[in-house]
Amino acid sequence: MSRRSGILEFAVLGLLRESPMHGYELRKRLNTSLGVFRAFSYGTLYPCLKTLVANGWLIEESGAGPQDAPAAPLTGRRAKIVYRLTAEGKEHFEELLSQTGPDAYEDEHFAARFAFFGQTSRDVRMRVLEGRRSRLEERLEKMRLSFARTRERLDDYTLELQRHGMESVEREVRWLNELIESERAGRDQQRSGPGDAAQQDTSGETGGLPRHRDSTRPDPSDDTAM
């Protein structure tokens, strides 16, 4: 399985965990809610859905309601197929959510993983965020060394492009620092004891996102920030 198809399967399972959907709804959610899938087509989505059905992680159901039944023979239109997550599919998705290896924070996967952080345990979120930060800090150090070695030989436009790339990575590192700090604060608050229950974040296990005073937060699906 390619990384790209693996990300798609993960995202489809995650969306269907929220509620059953038909193909059009799924594609719309993938394109609008998860920016990493902006260019996905039905030709990519439906083979993925068929694979998930074959694996027993999804089932197909008729999407026609009782009010649509008399109209179907007259219009000749096929009822929409609704895809529903099975118990095995939910278990498989939860297993994927618990993974914290390099695939979870590499460029290809991180945006999709981040989109489902609300369904992910705090400890797993922390490991993914810290892994992503570490990877970007390594990348940033290499970019700075390369910039220092080559800046005398490059024209102004190439230098500006390299500078823009470094600033994008620096911005994401700052954003990750804020998220990690917020996750740690939420974990410490949860451990503070029942006497501080009123002070705890109402979102419980999902913690709380940092409050941003400006619009500098990067889009995790922005290729320039990865």
Side-chain angles (χ1 to χ4, degrees), residues 49-100:
L49 291 170
K50 294 300 182 184
T51 298
L52 296 176
V53 170
N55 288 340
W57 298 330
L58 302 181
I59 57 173
E60 298 177 331
E61 299 176 340
S62 172
Q67 69 278 9
D68 299 327
L74 298 177
T75 61
R77 291 182 299 179
R78 296 171 56 187
K80 291 180 179 179
I81 299 298
V82 172
Y83 296 90
R84 182 183 299 275
L85 198 66
T86 64
E88 292 80 5
K90 182 178 179 181
E91 181 178 348
H92 179 62
F93 179 68
E94 290 173 350
E95 179 183 344
L96 295 176
L97 276 181
S98 69
Q99 295 178 2
T100 60

Coordinates of all heavy atoms in Angstrom, one line a residue, residues 49-100:
L49 N -12.7 2.9 -1.0 CA -13.9 2.4 -0.3 C -14.1 0.9 -0.5 O -14.5 0.2 0.4 CB -15.1 3.2 -0.8 CG -15.2 4.7 -0.3 CD1 -16.3 5.4 -1.0 CD2 -15.3 4.8 1.2
K50 N -14.0 0.5 -1.8 CA -14.1 -1.0 -2.1 C -13.1 -1.8 -1.3 O -13.5 -2.9 -0.8 CB -14.0 -1.2 -3.6 CG -15.0 -0.5 -4.4 CD -16.4 -1.1 -4.1 CE -17.5 -0.4 -5.0 NZ -18.9 -0.8 -4.6
T51 N -11.9 -1.3 -1.2 CA -10.9 -2.1 -0.4 C -11.3 -2.2 1.1 O -11.2 -3.2 1.7 CB -9.5 -1.4 -0.5 OG1 -9.1 -1.4 -1.9 CG2 -8.5 -2.1 0.3
L52 N -11.8 -1.1 1.6 CA -12.2 -1.1 3.0 C -13.4 -2.0 3.3 O -13.5 -2.6 4.3 CB -12.5 0.4 3.5 CG -11.3 1.4 3.4 CD1 -11.8 2.8 3.8 CD2 -10.2 0.9 4.4
V53 N -14.3 -2.0 2.3 CA -15.4 -2.9 2.4 C -14.9 -4.4 2.4 O -15.4 -5.2 3.2 CB -16.5 -2.7 1.3 CG1 -17.5 -3.8 1.2 CG2 -17.1 -1.3 1.5
A54 N -14.0 -4.7 1.4 CA -13.5 -6.0 1.3 C -12.8 -6.5 2.6 O -12.8 -7.6 2.9 CB -12.6 -6.1 0.1
N55 N -12.1 -5.5 3.2 CA -11.4 -5.8 4.5 C -12.3 -6.0 5.7 O -11.9 -6.4 6.8 CB -10.4 -4.7 4.8 CG -9.2 -4.8 3.8 OD1 -8.9 -5.8 3.2 ND2 -8.5 -3.6 3.8
G56 N -13.6 -5.7 5.5 CA -14.6 -5.8 6.6 C -14.6 -4.6 7.5 O -15.3 -4.7 8.6
W57 N -14.0 -3.5 7.1 CA -14.0 -2.3 7.9 C -15.2 -1.4 7.6 O -15.5 -0.5 8.5 CB -12.7 -1.6 7.7 CG -11.5 -2.4 8.2 CD1 -11.5 -3.4 9.1 CD2 -10.2 -2.4 7.6 NE1 -10.2 -3.9 9.3 CE2 -9.4 -3.4 8.3 CE3 -9.5 -1.6 6.6 CZ2 -8.0 -3.6 8.1 CZ3 -8.2 -1.9 6.4 CH2 -7.5 -2.8 7.1
L58 N -15.8 -1.5 6.5 CA -17.0 -0.8 6.1 C -18.0 -1.7 5.6 O -17.7 -2.8 5.1 CB -16.7 0.3 5.0 CG -15.6 1.3 5.2 CD1 -15.5 2.2 4.0 CD2 -15.9 2.1 6.5
I59 N -19.3 -1.3 5.7 CA -20.4 -1.9 5.0 C -21.1 -0.9 4.2 O -21.1 0.3 4.4 CB -21.4 -2.6 6.0 CG1 -21.9 -1.6 7.0 CG2 -20.7 -3.8 6.7 CD1 -23.0 -2.2 7.9
E60 N -21.7 -1.4 3.1 CA -22.5 -0.6 2.2 C -24.0 -0.8 2.5 O -24.4 -1.9 2.6 CB -22.2 -0.9 0.7 CG -20.8 -0.7 0.3 CD -20.5 -1.2 -1.2 OE1 -21.3 -2.1 -1.6 OE2 -19.7 -0.6 -1.8
E61 N -24.7 0.4 2.6 CA -26.1 0.3 2.8 C -26.8 1.2 1.8 O -26.2 2.2 1.3 CB -26.4 0.8 4.2 CG -25.8 0.0 5.3 CD -26.1 0.5 6.7 OE1 -26.4 1.8 6.8 OE2 -26.0 -0.2 7.7
S62 N -28.0 0.9 1.5 CA -28.8 1.8 0.6 C -29.1 3.1 1.3 O -29.6 3.1 2.5 CB -30.1 1.1 0.2 OG -31.0 2.0 -0.5
G63 N -28.9 4.2 0.6 CA -29.1 5.5 1.2 C -30.5 6.0 1.0 O -30.9 7.1 1.4
A64 N -31.4 5.3 0.3 CA -32.8 5.7 0.0 C -33.6 5.6 1.3 O -33.7 4.6 1.9 CB -33.4 4.9 -1.1
G65 N -34.3 6.7 1.6 CA -35.2 6.7 2.7 C -36.6 6.2 2.3 O -36.8 6.1 1.1
P66 N -37.5 6.0 3.2 CA -38.9 5.6 2.8 C -39.6 6.5 1.8 O -40.3 6.1 0.9 CB -39.6 5.5 4.2 CG -38.5 5.5 5.2 CD -37.4 6.2 4.6
Q67 N -39.3 7.8 1.9 CA -40.0 8.8 1.1 C -39.5 8.7 -0.4 O -40.1 9.1 -1.3 CB -39.8 10.2 1.6 CG -38.4 10.8 1.5 CD -37.5 10.3 2.7 OE1 -37.9 9.5 3.4 NE2 -36.3 10.9 2.8
D68 N -38.3 8.1 -0.5 CA -37.7 8.0 -1.9 C -38.0 6.7 -2.6 O -37.9 6.6 -3.8 CB -36.1 8.0 -1.8 CG -35.6 9.3 -1.1 OD1 -36.3 10.4 -1.4 OD2 -34.6 9.3 -0.4
A69 N -38.6 5.7 -1.9 CA -38.9 4.4 -2.4 C -39.8 4.5 -3.6 O -39.5 3.9 -4.7 CB -39.4 3.5 -1.4
P70 N -40.9 5.2 -3.6 CA -41.8 5.2 -4.8 C -41.2 5.9 -6.0 O -41.5 5.6 -7.1 CB -43.0 6.0 -4.3 CG -42.9 5.9 -2.8 CD -41.5 5.9 -2.5
A71 N -40.3 6.8 -5.7 CA -39.7 7.6 -6.8 C -38.6 6.9 -7.6 O -38.4 7.1 -8.8 CB -39.2 8.9 -6.3
A72 N -38.0 5.9 -6.9 CA -36.8 5.3 -7.5 C -37.2 4.6 -8.9 O -36.5 4.8 -9.9 CB -36.2 4.3 -6.6
P73 N -38.3 3.8 -9.0 CA -38.6 3.1 -10.2 C -38.9 4.1 -11.3 O -38.7 3.8 -12.5 CB -39.8 2.2 -9.9 CG -39.7 2.1 -8.4 CD -39.2 3.4 -7.9
L74 N -39.5 5.2 -11.0 CA -39.9 6.2 -12.0 C -38.8 7.0 -12.5 O -38.7 7.2 -13.7 CB -41.0 7.2 -11.3 CG -42.3 6.5 -10.8 CD1 -43.1 7.6 -10.2 CD2 -43.0 5.9 -12.0
T75 N -37.8 7.3 -11.7 CA -36.7 8.1 -12.2 C -35.6 7.3 -12.8 O -34.8 7.7 -13.6 CB -36.1 8.9 -11.0 OG1 -35.6 8.0 -10.0 CG2 -37.1 9.8 -10.4
G76 N -35.6 6.0 -12.4 CA -34.5 5.1 -12.9 C -33.1 5.4 -12.2 O -32.1 4.8 -12.6
R77 N -33.1 6.3 -11.3 CA -31.9 6.6 -10.6 C -31.6 5.6 -9.5 O -32.4 5.2 -8.8 CB -31.9 8.0 -10.0 CG -31.9 9.1 -11.0 CD -31.9 10.5 -10.3 NE -33.1 10.7 -9.4 CZ -33.4 11.7 -8.7 NH1 -32.5 12.7 -8.7 NH2 -34.4 11.8 -8.0
R78 N -30.3 5.3 -9.4 CA -29.9 4.3 -8.4 C -29.8 5.0 -7.0 O -29.5 6.2 -6.9 CB -28.5 3.7 -8.7 CG -28.5 2.9 -10.0 CD -27.0 2.6 -10.4 NE -26.3 1.9 -9.3 CZ -25.0 1.6 -9.3 NH1 -24.3 2.0 -10.3 NH2 -24.5 0.9 -8.3
A79 N -30.2 4.3 -6.0 CA -30.1 4.8 -4.6 C -28.7 5.0 -4.3 O -27.8 4.2 -4.7 CB -30.8 3.9 -3.6
K80 N -28.4 6.1 -3.6 CA -27.0 6.3 -3.1 C -26.6 5.3 -2.1 O -27.4 4.9 -1.3 CB -26.9 7.7 -2.5 CG -27.1 8.9 -3.5 CD -27.0 10.2 -2.8 CE -27.1 11.3 -3.8 NZ -27.1 12.7 -3.1
I81 N -25.3 4.9 -2.2 CA -24.8 3.9 -1.3 C -24.2 4.7 -0.1 O -23.4 5.6 -0.3 CB -23.7 3.1 -2.0 CG1 -24.3 2.3 -3.1 CG2 -23.0 2.1 -0.9 CD1 -25.3 1.3 -2.7
V82 N -24.6 4.3 1.1 CA -24.0 4.9 2.3 C -23.0 4.0 2.9 O -23.3 2.7 3.0 CB -25.2 5.2 3.3 CG1 -24.6 5.7 4.6 CG2 -26.1 6.3 2.8
Y83 N -21.9 4.5 3.3 CA -20.8 3.7 3.9 C -20.8 3.9 5.4 O -20.9 5.0 5.9 CB -19.5 4.1 3.3 CG -19.4 3.8 1.8 CD1 -19.8 4.7 0.9 CD2 -19.0 2.5 1.4 CE1 -19.7 4.5 -0.5 CE2 -18.9 2.3 0.0 CZ -19.3 3.3 -0.9 OH -19.3 3.0 -2.2
R84 N -20.8 2.7 6.1 CA -20.9 2.8 7.6 C -19.7 2.0 8.1 O -19.4 0.9 7.6 CB -22.2 2.1 8.0 CG -22.4 2.1 9.6 CD -23.7 1.4 10.0 NE -24.9 2.1 9.4 CZ -25.5 3.1 9.9 NH1 -25.1 3.6 11.1 NH2 -26.5 3.6 9.3
L85 N -19.1 2.5 9.2 CA -18.0 1.8 9.8 C -18.5 0.6 10.6 O -19.5 0.7 11.4 CB -17.3 2.8 10.8 CG -15.9 2.5 11.2 CD1 -14.9 2.6 10.1 CD2 -15.5 3.5 12.3
T86 N -17.8 -0.5 10.5 CA -18.1 -1.7 11.3 C -17.3 -1.7 12.6 O -16.4 -0.8 12.8 CB -17.7 -3.0 10.5 OG1 -16.3 -3.0 10.3 CG2 -18.4 -3.0 9.1
A87 N -17.6 -2.6 13.5 CA -16.9 -2.7 14.7 C -15.4 -3.0 14.5 O -14.5 -2.4 15.1 CB -17.5 -3.8 15.6
E88 N -15.2 -3.8 13.5 CA -13.8 -4.1 13.1 C -13.1 -2.9 12.5 O -11.9 -2.6 12.8 CB -13.7 -5.2 12.1 CG -14.1 -6.6 12.6 CD -15.7 -6.8 12.7 OE1 -16.4 -5.8 12.2 OE2 -16.1 -7.8 13.2
G89 N -13.9 -2.1 11.8 CA -13.3 -0.8 11.2 C -13.0 0.2 12.3 O -11.9 0.8 12.3
K90 N -13.8 0.3 13.3 CA -13.6 1.2 14.4 C -12.3 0.7 15.2 O -11.5 1.6 15.5 CB -14.8 1.2 15.3 CG -14.6 2.2 16.5 CD -15.8 2.2 17.4 CE -15.6 3.1 18.6 NZ -16.8 3.2 19.5
E91 N -12.2 -0.6 15.4 CA -11.0 -1.1 16.1 C -9.8 -0.8 15.3 O -8.7 -0.5 15.9 CB -11.2 -2.6 16.3 CG -10.1 -3.3 17.1 CD -10.3 -4.7 17.3 OE1 -11.4 -5.2 17.1 OE2 -9.4 -5.4 17.8
H92 N -9.8 -1.0 14.0 CA -8.7 -0.8 13.2 C -8.3 0.7 13.2 O -7.1 1.1 13.3 CB -9.0 -1.2 11.7 CG -7.8 -1.0 10.8 ND1 -6.6 -1.6 10.9 CD2 -7.7 -0.2 9.7 CE1 -5.8 -1.2 9.9 NE2 -6.5 -0.3 9.2
F93 N -9.3 1.6 13.1 CA -9.0 3.0 13.1 C -8.3 3.4 14.5 O -7.4 4.2 14.5 CB -10.2 3.8 12.9 CG -10.0 5.3 12.9 CD1 -9.3 5.9 12.0 CD2 -10.6 6.1 14.0 CE1 -9.1 7.3 12.0 CE2 -10.4 7.4 14.0 CZ -9.6 8.1 13.0
E94 N -8.8 2.9 15.6 CA -8.3 3.2 16.9 C -6.8 2.7 17.0 O -6.0 3.3 17.6 CB -9.1 2.6 18.0 CG -10.5 3.3 18.1 CD -11.4 2.6 19.1 OE1 -11.1 1.5 19.5 OE2 -12.5 3.2 19.4
E95 N -6.5 1.6 16.3 CA -5.2 1.1 16.3 C -4.3 2.1 15.5 O -3.1 2.4 15.9 CB -5.1 -0.3 15.6 CG -3.7 -0.9 15.5 CD -3.7 -2.2 14.8 OE1 -4.8 -2.8 14.7 OE2 -2.7 -2.7 14.3
L96 N -4.8 2.6 14.4 CA -4.0 3.5 13.6 C -3.8 4.8 14.4 O -2.7 5.4 14.3 CB -4.8 3.8 12.3 CG -4.9 2.7 11.3 CD1 -5.7 3.1 10.1 CD2 -3.5 2.2 10.8
L97 N -4.8 5.2 15.1 CA -4.7 6.5 15.9 C -3.6 6.3 17.0 O -3.0 7.3 17.4 CB -6.0 6.8 16.6 CG -7.1 7.5 15.9 CD1 -8.3 7.7 16.8 CD2 -6.6 8.9 15.3
S98 N -3.4 5.1 17.5 CA -2.4 5.0 18.5 C -1.0 4.9 18.1 O 0.0 5.0 18.9 CB -2.7 3.7 19.3 OG -2.4 2.5 18.5
Q99 N -0.8 4.9 16.8 CA 0.6 4.8 16.2 C 1.3 6.1 16.3 O 0.8 7.2 16.0 CB 0.6 4.3 14.8 CG 0.0 2.9 14.6 CD -0.1 2.4 13.2 OE1 0.3 3.1 12.3 NE2 -0.6 1.2 13.0
T100 N 2.6 6.1 16.7 CA 3.4 7.3 16.9 C 4.7 7.3 16.2 O 5.6 8.1 16.5 CB 3.6 7.6 18.4 OG1 4.3 6.5 19.0 CG2 2.3 7.8 19.1

